[in-house]
Amino acid sequence: TAVIVLVQCAALSQMMMQSKAHAEIDAPVMAAMWRLLIRQIFFATNHHCSFNRLHFTAAFVATDTFQFHIAGFSLFMNTFGWELLGTLLLLLTSRFTTNFTTADRKDGHSRVWDWFCFYQCTETLTSCISVSAMKRHLMV
């Protein structure tokens, strides 16, 4: 999975950095591709939105004795590590390649990050509304 993710992230980063005007991809489309890639990684690593699909064995990796904080952090990173890594990679790609032409106008790389944040907030909001309406837990 890691090799596929690296290839996909490299391809998306390369698409963001291309400078030919005729081959440019709009910022909302590029942000949606990043968001879908990160969501696909979650499911590609055999995770699902249910308690019985959490990888509890990740809490016992690299330690002989159980330590609650380390186990919780390991489980968290196993579940959400790819999400954090993908988001961080997009942030770095968009921020370090950003050129501000004027004080008011941002270039396309920075707009990709803005659209990505919009999609993330929209996904979070709709999940919360759905859970509230169905009176269920997020993981069920």
Side-chain angles (χ1 to χ4, degrees):
T1 304
V3 173
I4 293 171
V5 169
L6 288 175
V7 169
Q8 289 175 338
C9 286
L12 287 174
S13 296
Q14 199 66 354
M15 289 169 65
M16 278 181 67
M17 291 184 207
Q18 67 187 359
S19 60
K20 295 179 182 175
H22 64 83
E24 246 180 64
I25 298 173
D26 290 333
V29 175
M30 182 59 69
M33 290 171 60
W34 274 97
R35 187 73 210 121
L36 291 173
L37 168 69
I38 292 171
R39 179 60 56 206
Q40 180 253 342
I41 294 168
F42 177 79
F43 292 106
T45 54
N46 200 24
H47 289 90
H48 295 281
C49 296
S50 64
F51 284 117
N52 63 348
R53 295 306 297 245
L54 287 174
H55 298 170
F56 290 112
T57 55
F60 300 99
V61 173
T63 59
D64 292 334
T65 60
F66 180 77
Q67 296 176 359
F68 185 75
H69 297 3
I70 293 174
F73 180 74
S74 295
L75 183 61
F76 175 81
M77 289 306 291
N78 178 272
T79 305
F80 300 109
W82 287 108
E83 181 105 13
L84 295 173
L85 186 65
T87 303
L88 181 65
L89 183 62
L90 174 61
L91 177 65
L92 294 175
T93 302
S94 65
R95 293 299 181 215
F96 286 126
T97 59
T98 299
N99 294 323
F100 290 96
T101 54
T102 65
D104 298 331
R105 192 172 144 243
K106 296 180 184 179
D107 73 343
H109 300 142
S110 182
R111 286 184 300 146
V112 170
W113 174 252
D114 294 341
W115 276 100
F116 180 84
C117 291
F118 171 75
Y119 291 147
Q120 180 66 42
C121 290
T122 303
E123 181 182 344
T124 303
L125 179 67
T126 55
S127 294
C128 290
I129 291 171
S130 172
V131 167
S132 295
M134 294 189 311
K135 307 283 191 237
R136 299 180 78 182
H137 193 277
L138 282 171
M139 294 290 286
V140 178

